[in-house]
Structure formats: structure tokens, C-alpha cells
Amino acid sequence: MKRAEFDVEHGGNIYKLADMLKLNKHKIIDFSANINPLGAPEGVIQIIKDSSKDIINYPDPDTNALKQEIAKYHSIIPESIVCGNGSTELIYLFVRALKPKNVLIPAPTFSEYERACKTYRARAMHYGLKKENNLDLNPEAFIKALSSIRYDMVFLCNPNNPTGRLTQKKDVLRIAHTAKALKSYLIVDEAFIDFVPDASVIQEVEKNPYLIVIRSMTKFYALAGLRLGYGIFPLKIIDLIKQYKEPWTVNTLAQRAGISALNDTTYKKQTLELIKNEKQFLEKRFNQLGINFVNSCANFYLFRFLNAEFVYRKLKKKGILVRLCSDFKELDKTYIRVAVKNRKQNVLLLKELSQWLKA
């Protein structure tokens, strides 16, 4: 496989832009990564400081305390949980362990699904989301595609990245039921489900031996630099998954940060309120500016305008990083994704967009 096939440019690379502009990285305003603008919870910062003396020891390879907390948070059994160095580690882990031959992936969606498949020589086939249907997943058509040939594995990002569109829980369960009947593993990536928690299917894993749910703590809890995620697996495959997992991938600080974050109900309420208010503010201004955007259930928006590349370059020169989406399948150079940030930063982005959109 050629090296170029693996060259994926994700959001959040503030280091490259800072180096290019000869700026301190803290001067970069990063709208390309969909991270909570509140920053990490104060309790997490304190627990990291308090735990610094323990980094002399290896972390718990079984992440037992964290799994107990996750189990309590979701009302599930801890034996079904595997924690990882971000949810992306888990994507590669179960592809490596389950060895699928044919995999169905909606498009556009998170690029690491296909990359993991290519890494382990699985054949990735795409179900294209229709632009005329707001890039929503059509459950009936998707089930028909799933049933058309023998798929060993299916990916579903919900809410989807980069569109922010949500597939309703009842429809995800219909897809999961079909996957079970076909003996195809359905991977539901709920990296952004914290913004619409009632849509989660995490408690359904126990009832379906072909359903896997993965969660990320990097987005909602702003822990991207620590790397923390977890997966809920059917018990019939949990031992197999563990056989393929490297030890100690979740460090001590990340494990304790995760426990602290899950217990911070005040932070959760503040986040949901902030994102709600900022989305209302942004959508009103988007409409005033005539920006063509996809209504989102998450903390980011997908834009479409003809001079997107030009706008992207102009914003970069100002130290504002957005996500150009031309590398997403089914999208092109007219699409940009932007995160929801705090009011000051959102106002700055709107000001710059108003200047360059019609240029």
C-alpha cells in the first residue's frame, strides 16, 4: 500500500500552522477541532496535579477503577468495557482483532474507519449520503445496502462527523437488528453523543452480540491531549479483543481524569448550556450572512460555499484554523467544518467570514 493512502489531515494541528506563521501555538484559534470551549473541568486539572507523584509507577493495565466508574455512569456491566488511548485506538483494535473482509462505511464520515480497514487489508465499501437529503442517513436504504452482500462489519458515526447529523435511536436499533440477523458487527461511534445523550444505544450492547459502541472523552470533556476513550463490547468477544490490545495504553493521569470528569455534573450542565446558546447565536448570524450550513446536533457545523479554499487560506493567514473537508469522501473543496467555540472567538470568526465570503 502506498504511503499516500495514509496521509490524513485531521483537525487540531495547531503546531504546523504556528510554525508556518512563526506564532506561539497559543495564539492560534482552532476551529478545526471540535473540542469543548470551556476547556477541561477544574476537577480534572486538580486531579492531574495531585496524581503527578504516581507517574513513577506503571498505570493499571486493566483500568479497573475507570471501568467501574464508566459502568456506573451508563448502568452497564464493567466486564463489557475496554478503555483506550482515545476511541481511535479502539477502531484499529477491533478491526485487527475481528479481521473483517468486507466493511460498509457511510460517506462522508470519520476517515479513520477506512484507514483502519486498509491497514488490516479489509475491503472498505461506501454508502454515499445524499447532498439533496441534507447528508442524512436513510435507514431503509442503508439497511438495503447492508443486506446486499456479505459484510462482516459496518460503521456508523452518530452524530456523524463532519455533518453533525443525528440518526434517530429507533433507526440505529433497526440497523443493529439487521446487522445481528446478518451476523455483521455494527460499530456505533458515539464520540459526539454527549450533546444528544438520549440517542445513545450504549445500553443495547448487552442484548445484541453484534453491536459495539465506542465513546470518546476528548471532545465533550476537552481531554484531547490526554487521549481517552472506551468501547462497550459483547461479552462473547471481549476476551478476543483483549488478546489484541497493547498493555498500558491508558496512562495514570488519563484514567484518573476520566473518573473525575464523569462525576462532574456541573460541568456537563454548563457545557450543554454554553453550546446551546452559542449555536443559537451562530445560526442566526449564519443566516444573516447567507452561509449555507448543515443543521447540526453536535458542537460543529459543515459549511458549503464556492470559495471555501480561498476563505480557508485567508483565515489561516490570520491564525484561524478551520477544517477544509475536501479529503472526505462525497465532499469536495467547497466544504469547510467549524467548531462551536466561546462568544469572543465565534464573533471573531464571523467577522473574518463576512469579509472573505464574497471576495
Side-chain angles (χ1 to χ4, degrees):
M1 191 173 297
K2 296 179 181 178
R3 177 69 182 90
E5 291 185 72
F6 292 101
D7 291 335
V8 178
E9 182 69 24
H10 290 294
N13 194 343
I14 61 173
Y15 312 98
K16 181 187 289 188
L17 182 57
D19 184 62
M20 183 182 79
L21 298 177
K22 307 303 180 187
L23 284 176
N24 184 299
K25 63 180 181 292
H26 298 296
K27 298 290 186 181
I28 303 297
I29 303 176
D30 186 13
F31 282 88
S32 73
N34 311 313
I35 308 300
N36 190 334
L38 283 179
E42 291 182 9
V44 166
I45 302 301
Q46 188 59 51
I47 203 71
I48 289 173
K49 292 177 180 177
D50 295 343
S51 300
S52 60
K53 62 182 181 299
D54 293 322
I55 62 174
I56 191 173
N57 301 313
Y58 280 98
D60 174 10
D62 299 314
T63 62
N64 281 318
L66 177 57
K67 287 195 293 187
Q68 290 291 337
E69 205 61 46
I70 294 169
K72 184 172 69 173
Y73 184 80
H74 293 296
S75 299
I76 57 177
I77 57 173
E79 291 80 10
S80 66
I81 302 168
V82 175
C83 298
N85 187 254
S87 57
T88 301
E89 181 201 353
L90 301 176
I91 293 168
Y92 285 80
L93 172 62
F94 51 65
V95 173
R96 184 165 70 246
L98 297 174
K99 298 180 172 58
K101 294 181 180 178
N102 294 316
V103 181
L104 181 62
I105 305 174
T109 197
F110 186 46
S111 60
E112 293 299 334
Y113 309 146
E114 182 174 6
R115 191 168 182 258
C117 290
K118 287 182 176 180
T119 300
Y120 298 108
R121 301 186 182 281
R123 183 187 180 199
M125 302 177 70
H126 296 95
Y127 169 85
L129 303 175
K130 306 298 183 184
K131 295 183 177 71
E132 60 270 23
N133 194 34
N134 211 30
L135 294 170
D136 282 340
L137 184 97
N138 182 313
E140 289 78 15
F142 191 66
I143 287 171
K144 184 178 180 180
L146 172 58
S147 306
S148 62
I149 68 169
R150 176 71 178 95
Y151 287 106
D152 309 288
M153 185 175 288
V154 188
F155 282 93
L156 181 61
C157 185
N158 198 37
N160 191 25
N161 176 15
T163 67
R165 299 298 291 166
L166 180 74
T167 301
Q168 296 299 316
K169 182 176 180 177
K170 62 181 178 61
D171 293 323
V172 177
L173 293 179
R174 288 171 57 202
I175 296 167
H177 178 76
T178 301
K180 177 182 176 181
L182 296 171
K183 296 184 178 180
S184 300
Y185 286 102
L186 172 64
I187 318 300
V188 182
D189 183 350
E190 296 187 342
F192 297 97
I193 206 75
D194 291 288
F195 297 101
V196 277
D198 290 343
S200 175
V201 296
I202 205 164
Q203 293 184 336
E204 304 297 322
V205 174
E206 186 179 356
K207 309 169 191 175
N208 188 334
Y210 287 91
L211 176 61
I212 297 169
V213 175
I214 55 175
R215 298 288 287 263
S216 170
M217 295 195 69
T218 65
K219 318 294 186 184
F220 191 86
Y221 294 101
L223 303 179
L226 273 184
R227 312 300 305 132
L228 181 60
Y230 53 93
I232 316 303
F233 295 85
L235 291 180
K236 73 167 192 170
I237 63 169
I238 200 75
D239 289 338
L240 175 64
I241 297 297
K242 289 179 179 178
Q243 286 177 22
Y244 282 85
K245 190 181 186 306
E246 294 88 348
W248 308 303
T249 61
V250 186
N251 67 69
T252 297
L253 302 183
Q255 291 186 40
R256 295 183 184 174
I259 293 170
S260 176
L262 288 172
N263 279 289
D264 197 334
T265 56
T266 300
Y267 177 88
K268 183 176 181 179
K269 291 177 182 177
Q270 289 174 339
T271 296
L272 292 174
E273 186 66 21
L274 172 68
I275 296 300
K276 176 185 176 182
N277 291 338
E278 290 308 307
K279 287 181 72 175
Q280 290 175 346
F281 168 74
L282 285 169
E283 289 177 15
K284 181 179 179 180
R285 294 291 289 122
F286 293 162
N287 287 321
Q288 290 172 346
L289 290 171
I291 293 176
N292 183 354
F293 68 97
V294 177
N295 284 307
S296 170
C297 291
N299 62 332
F300 55 87
Y301 289 96
L302 184 67
F303 293 165
R304 188 180 193 188
F305 31 80
L306 293 177
N307 63 340
E309 276 191 308
F310 173 81
V311 173
Y312 170 75
R313 291 194 300 270
K314 289 295 183 179
L315 291 173
K316 279 182 71 173
K317 290 180 179 179
K318 291 292 188 75
I320 300 173
L321 189 60
V322 298
R323 178 68 159 88
L324 190 64
C325 294
S326 55
D327 60 330
F328 282 94
K329 289 187 183 298
E330 301 294 328
L331 299 185
D332 55 34
K333 62 184 180 180
T334 64
Y335 286 90
I336 281 177
R337 190 193 68 200
V338 299
V340 177
K341 299 186 77 65
N342 64 39
R343 181 61 58 92
K344 180 180 178 181
Q345 293 167 327
N346 291 335
V347 168
L348 179 60
L349 175 68
L350 290 166
K351 179 182 176 182
E352 293 297 330
L353 284 175
S354 66
Q355 180 178 353
W356 299 113
L357 277 177
K358 299 178 182 179

